Structures are given as C-alpha cells and as structure tokens.
Amino acid sequence: MKYFVVTKETGVVWLRQQLDRETKSEMQVEFYVSDNQEVVKDTVNIQIGDVNDNAPNFHGQPYTVNIPEDTPVGRSIFMVNASDPDQGTGGSVLFSFQPPSAFFAIDGARGTVTVTRALDYETTTAYQLTVNATVNMDPIFTNLPYSTNIEEDVPLGYEVRKITAIDQDLGRPRGIGYTIITGNTNSVFALDYISGSLTVNGQLDRENPLYSAGFSLTVRATELNDDRSPSRATVVTTFTILLIDKNDNAPKFNSSEYRVRITELAQVGFALPLFIQAEDKDEGVNSMFQVFLTGNNSEYFTISPTAVQGRADIRMRVAMPLDFEQIRSFSFSLYANESISDHVGFARVFIELINENDNRPIFSRPLYNISLPENTPPGTSLLRILLCTCSTLRSQGPTI
C-alpha cells in the first residue's frame, strides 16, 4: 500500500508517507487478517481531514485597468480574484493593499477595488498597487448584522442583545473576549467581557442631543489564550442602536412671561413684537399639542398657530379695537396642552397700552349763563370754562 503499512504481529497501521487532502480526500483500504488457516478481508474508508496548509493563489494576473481621471469617488474599477484550495475558514481569502493606498480601497472579502479620492491625470498618470491575499483565521462574528431599536425608558440592566463570535481554528476552540472600542457615549452601555451580553448601563434619553441620532458601537472580539489573556487574533464589527421615542416631555415656552407696550391705535391684525416659541421635544404624534389664551380680556388678542407638532413660533395679534380710556393694560395666560393631562406648558402675558391723543376736547357744560352789573370793573373774574376728553380733565380754559 502506498500510504499505509501494517505491522503483521501487532496489527498497528502506520502512515507511510505524507497525505494531501487537496490531492486525494478519501481512500479505501483493504485489510487482510489470517490465522494460517483462514483469511478474512475487510475494507476501511478513510476520510482525510483538511489542514490549512495552502497559500492563496491569484487568477488572471497581471491586473491592468485604464480609467478616466473623472471617475467618480466610490466607483468600482476592477476586481482581483484569488482562491485557496483548503476547506472552510482555511480557504477564506482576505484582500488588502500593502501599503494602503490614499486613492483606492479594496473590499477585503470580495476583492473589489474602488476609488476613494478624486483623481488628476496632470498630477499622477499611473498607480501601482500591491494586493495581499491572506487566509483569515481570526475569530468571526455570528448572527450579523448587529442592529436593534430599544425604547428610551428601558431600565438599567436591560439586555439589548448578546454578541457572539467563534474561533475559526481547528481543534479545541478558544474562548472569546468582547470589548466596546468606540461609540459608547457616557458609557451608557456595558458589554460583558466573557458572555458578550450588551446591557443598558446609564439613563437613556432620546431627546438628549448626544443620543438622538442613536449609537454606533464598534465592538471587538478577541481570542483568549488558555490563561484568559488576550491573543493577537481579533475581529471588529459595528452594532447600531436606535432609541424609540416615548411621550415623556411636556410642551414648553421659551419664556415664563412675555411683556410688551403697544399703542392703543394698533389696528386689528397688528402683530405684537413678541418672540414666543413653543416646543415639545418628543417625536411624531408624541410632540403634538394645542396652544390657547385664557384669562381676563384675553379675547382682545388672538394667536396662531393653535395646533403644533414639535416646535413653532407663535404669533400674537390684535383681535379687537383697543382703547386706553377703557382698558389700560392686559394680563392673561398662555397655555400649551398635550393629550396627557400633566403635560402642560404655561406662560404669562403682560400688555400695556400707550395713550394717544385720539379724543376731541369738549366743554364741561353745554351752556354757560352769567349776569353782571354794568359797572363791573375791568379784570373782574366772571366764569371758569373747563375742557375735558371723555371723563378726563385735559386743560383749563380762560377765565372770562
């Protein structure tokens, strides 16, 4: 037999020469057993297990491509091709540029080369890129992609998801250690180093500008040595987490009170010079509310809009003719109400009217009658004539 030999006395089978799964992956060997009187024959099927003992090979070399200098950034320009005859992860080829290129990128798994920066023929007429094809024996993540949505009010300790990576090497698999590298703003998430359980570690709030766009966690899985120390075999992936809005905010005005002075001659429709802004920081239907005025003499003014979603600038206008001689100042309330009873915004409005000379003077009496003797000396005070506007004394007339 070419590959095997047996010791007649003991029946121990020995390997005679090196096996190669890529040449022959299965063999049938016939064995004979004899006691000098009778011979028994049997056939044994031998499967040759794979070992990562081959390097990747490129196909279709050399690679040459001509592209216009105005090729858009992000466009694929060609694809390299390499294969490894080994099985499973031992035949999984990864591509990379050595050294890295400032103008081109290569997809590590597919070998697709794309443009990453604008090209200029007048600056550089040709590029020579060196591509490495290597077999990936680092750990790999399972159940990708990692992406989920969670409500913003989940309690501390809530498990977002369990991250899992496996050792690709043959034999007894190594343990994996998990670490968050970037994206964990204010350490609001915790990742168990051994189990890979990702949990909530801090108070989440979708309305917080740091959290409103969600989280993009960069997570690293590292193979562990027998003493639990990290090895050099690592893999990185991204975990995207978006926060689902809850109706946990009441509408608010940009000030607790608004004060203004306007002329009593302001016409109906006149917009008061007030900057009023109302906002509910929740999202969608959770940010809808009504705005209205209430209180003594609030009917003299109107506001718009009265229905708001999210945020709006509120305009207050004169709704009825104003008259300083009737009402000199106004004080009333401005409310922003949501469907939830305790979600109410409140502000006070104070408006003072400026008196204008808008009334004709009149005599205090419609008729003045006096009698005097003919010998009344010059300069004698005979009568005081009074002028007034409505009920207000405006001036004193001459004495006759």
Side-chain angles (χ1 to χ4, degrees):
M1 179 63 186
K2 179 178 179 181
Y3 291 98
F4 304 98
V5 63
V6 61
T7 303
K8 294 182 179 181
E9 294 76 11
T10 62
V12 175
V13 179
W14 299 87
L15 182 65
R16 174 177 285 178
Q17 68 179 57
Q18 185 69 42
L19 302 175
D20 184 7
R21 188 205 64 84
E22 287 72 39
T23 302
K24 193 174 185 64
S25 62
E26 184 176 356
M27 300 180 184
Q28 285 188 339
V29 180
E30 290 185 345
F31 291 93
Y32 296 85
V33 178
S34 172
D35 61 358
N36 294 325
Q37 294 184 0
E38 186 177 354
V39 177
V40 177
K41 181 179 73 171
D42 199 359
T43 301
V44 177
N45 291 323
I46 300 176
Q47 302 287 335
I48 310 301
D50 184 55
V51 174
N52 186 18
D53 58 348
N54 291 277
N57 293 312
F58 283 100
H59 307 292
Q61 294 189 82
Y63 298 113
T64 302
V65 63
N66 296 318
I67 58 173
E69 65 174 329
D70 60 351
T71 300
V73 172
R75 167 115 9 127
S76 299
I77 55 175
F78 69 99
M79 178 183 292
V80 298
N81 186 16
S83 62
D84 189 308
D86 292 314
Q87 279 187 329
T89 57
S92 176
V93 179
L94 292 180
F95 301 97
S96 62
F97 285 141
Q98 291 296 331
S101 170
F103 292 87
F104 303 92
I106 187 167
D107 186 295
R110 292 177 292 184
T112 304
V113 177
T114 56
V115 178
T116 58
R117 287 179 58 182
L119 306 175
D120 184 4
Y121 179 85
E122 284 69 33
T123 302
T124 305
T125 59
Y127 294 88
Q128 183 173 351
L129 306 174
T130 301
V131 181
N132 276 3
T134 58
V135 175
N136 178 22
M137 295 307 292
D138 290 334
I140 59 172
F141 285 102
T142 61
N143 302 320
L144 292 172
Y146 290 121
S147 178
T148 191
N149 300 336
I150 61 173
E151 295 183 341
E152 61 174 322
D153 61 348
V154 295
L156 297 181
Y158 173 85
E159 185 177 68
V160 180
R161 189 170 175 182
K162 187 162 287 186
I163 298 172
T164 306
I166 58 174
D167 176 9
Q168 296 190 83
D169 297 320
L170 299 176
R172 182 173 62 87
R174 293 179 173 184
I176 303 293
Y178 303 93
T179 310
I180 299 176
I181 303 174
T182 61
N184 193 12
T185 306
N186 293 334
S187 299
V188 293
F189 297 101
L191 182 60
D192 188 275
Y193 185 69
I194 299 300
S195 71
S197 175
L198 183 70
T199 57
V200 175
N201 188 53
Q203 187 64 49
L204 298 174
D205 183 6
R206 192 202 63 84
E207 290 71 46
N208 186 329
L210 295 176
Y211 307 155
S212 58
F215 301 84
S216 182
L217 305 179
T218 302
V219 180
R220 179 171 58 205
T222 304
E223 287 185 17
L224 303 180
N225 297 316
D226 292 339
D227 61 357
R228 291 293 187 179
S229 63
S231 71
R232 299 180 61 181
T234 65
V235 66
V236 173
T237 192
T238 300
F239 195 159
T240 301
I241 302 171
L242 297 180
L243 299 183
I244 300 173
D245 182 56
K246 301 290 287 186
N247 193 357
D248 57 352
N249 288 274
K252 291 183 179 181
F253 293 103
N254 60 329
S255 179
S256 61
E257 66 175 45
Y258 302 94
R259 295 179 179 271
V260 69
R261 298 179 73 235
I262 62 172
T263 175
E264 65 172 326
L265 300 180
Q267 299 296 306
V268 172
F270 171 77
L272 278 64
L274 291 171
F275 175 57
I276 304 175
Q277 192 173 80
E279 180 181 18
D280 188 321
K281 292 185 177 181
D282 290 317
E283 192 175 40
V285 295
N286 291 336
S287 67
M288 298 176 64
F289 57 95
Q290 303 291 320
V291 183
F292 60 91
L293 300 173
T294 184
N296 293 335
N297 301 316
S298 62
E299 67 273 11
Y300 278 83
F301 301 90
T302 184
I303 57 172
S304 64
T306 56
V308 177
Q309 179 173 340
R311 181 174 64 184
D313 293 333
I314 308 299
R315 276 291 190 182
M316 186 176 297
R317 299 179 182 273
V318 176
M320 299 170 57
L322 307 174
D323 189 352
F324 178 86
E325 284 69 39
Q326 293 183 14
I327 304 176
R328 296 188 176 189
S329 63
F330 299 83
S331 175
F332 46 81
S333 299
L334 180 62
Y335 281 95
N337 276 19
E338 230 187 293
S339 57
I340 299 179
S341 59
D342 61 344
H343 282 193
V344 180
F346 172 79
R348 291 289 294 174
V349 180
F350 301 94
I351 301 171
E352 183 180 348
L353 296 186
I354 301 171
N355 187 29
E356 302 289 354
N357 187 10
D358 59 342
N359 291 280
R360 295 173 58 190
I362 60 174
F363 289 100
S364 60
R365 296 179 184 179
L367 178 65
Y368 295 92
N369 289 316
I370 63 172
S371 61
L372 68 161
E374 62 178 331
N375 61 348
T376 300
T380 301
S381 177
L382 303 178
L383 177 68
R384 175 171 291 178
I385 299 175
L386 300 178
L387 298 176
C388 66
T389 59
C390 296
S391 60
T392 304
L393 182 66
R394 288 292 303 272
S395 63
Q396 181 174 309
T399 299
I400 299 176

